[in-house]
Amino acid sequence: ELNVIISGLQNADPGRWGLAARVSGLQAHIAGPFRSAMLLLVGAAGAVMLIVCVNLSNLLLAKGPKRAREMAVRTALGATRSRLIRQLLSESVVLSLGGAAVGTGIAYAVTGLVARTSSISIPMLSSISVDGAALGFTLALAVVAGLLVGIMPALQASDAGAEAAIRVGGRGSSAGRRGT
């Protein structure tokens, strides 16, 4: 469309020569020099998220054997394996949503501080904010991370042998003193 306008202007005033136009995106014009730094920040945030997920998964796996008796009692009371997995996955998702809520609060605070600073010379820095798309992405990422982090501990904890866990963790013993 701009080429049509330029050719119309050239026809209207043939004395002007070399009149040309070039269209470039505003995002490429403003963020062009900062693109590599922004991609580095995204990569660093992804690496931190991966480390957090691995640590959380390890904590849930370590906590699993301690919950074996609880899962055995639930199974003895009639809970199915799928019900136990759903419960453990929902706990994991609630935990990840709590982390996302804390992270969102930190993002709001830091974004406001960075937007008000004058020590960084990035164009349109004062107009940055956390928007609905970022919140939606955070919510989706928290749910997916909670499911991925919680699936292995949930499978492990729900597979515990009910009888063995109840016998090992039983309160009383009928064997007496000599049975120990």
Side-chain angles (χ1 to χ4, degrees):
E1 291 176 2
L2 192 57
N3 287 335
V4 171
I5 293 171
I6 295 298
S7 66
L9 290 173
Q10 285 177 344
N11 291 339
D13 190 3
R16 288 188 171 179
W17 57 275
L19 186 62
R22 183 175 53 129
V23 177
S24 64
L26 182 62
Q27 183 179 6
H29 179 70
I30 292 175
F34 303 104
R35 181 169 173 78
S36 60
M38 296 298 173
L39 289 175
L40 183 65
L41 280 174
V42 168
V48 169
M49 180 69 173
L50 180 65
I51 290 169
V52 168
C53 286
V54 167
N55 285 338
L56 183 60
S57 181
N58 283 336
L59 287 173
L60 291 173
L61 281 171
K63 188 179 166 186
K66 293 179 182 178
R67 294 187 74 180
R69 183 155 192 251
E70 173 195 350
M71 295 301 129
V73 169
R74 290 180 184 271
T75 302
L77 292 174
T80 62
R81 185 168 190 225
S82 64
R83 173 67 183 114
L84 295 175
I85 290 172
R86 281 195 314 265
Q87 175 193 345
L88 294 170
L89 282 179
S90 64
E91 290 174 7
S92 176
V93 169
V94 167
L95 186 62
S96 68
L97 287 174
V102 170
T104 300
I106 291 171
Y108 269 115
V110 170
T111 301
L113 289 173
V114 169
R116 289 189 302 270
T117 188
S118 61
S119 63
I120 304 171
S121 61
I122 297 176
M124 299 177 67
L125 180 64
S126 62
S127 66
I128 65 168
S129 66
V130 178
D131 61 350
L135 291 177
F137 178 74
T138 302
L139 178 67
L141 187 62
V143 170
V144 168
L147 290 174
L148 290 177
V149 164
I151 191 69
M152 285 309 294
L155 289 173
Q156 180 189 26
S158 68
D159 194 29
E163 295 174 22
I166 290 175
R167 271 194 221 132
V168 170
R171 282 191 157 200
S173 175
S174 61
R177 287 186 175 178
R178 292 183 200 178
T180 52

